[in-house]
Amino acid sequence: MLCLLPVCGFGMDRLSALSMLETGNDDRAVGSAGEISRFQVKKAEWRTVTNSANYSDYETARKVMIQLMDKRIHAFEDHFGRKPTDFEFYALWNAPSQALNGHVSRTVAARCERFANLCERDRKIMQMANAR
């Protein structure tokens, strides 16, 4: 789980960035394909982690997301022998099979770039704040 912790800086971590990009931190969001929670988890995946139907509870959603990503990150590390970049992290969330085969579609890549740019921006803000 340490792979998910602060990576972006200035109080921003990958979980926060993911929540912001997926739903604007809306705990009650439901996606067009029925994805639930601020992280937009498919119900079938949600149920592999918990039987709770409390999709709008931040802590439950956070735990579900961490458990799902922990498995994906371990698979990525086993396959590539390293931790995922911010770009790859989002690909693992949004399109895990594409991330693991190393070929991400243009649509997914555009989302990954937005995520990576958000993380990089916040890293730079943190560096500037620390330099003062």
Side-chain angles (χ1 to χ4, degrees), residues 71-87:
K71 292 176 191 173
R72 295 175 188 182
I73 289 168
H74 280 94
F76 182 93
E77 290 172 340
D78 288 347
H79 185 73
F80 292 103
R82 62 179 175 77
K83 295 185 182 314
T85 63
D86 294 329
F87 182 100

Side-chain angles (χ1 to χ4, degrees), residues 46-55 60 64:
W46 180 281
R47 290 186 189 116
T48 67
V49 176
T50 182
N51 291 325
S52 172
N54 196 2
Y55 311 129
T60 303
V64 167

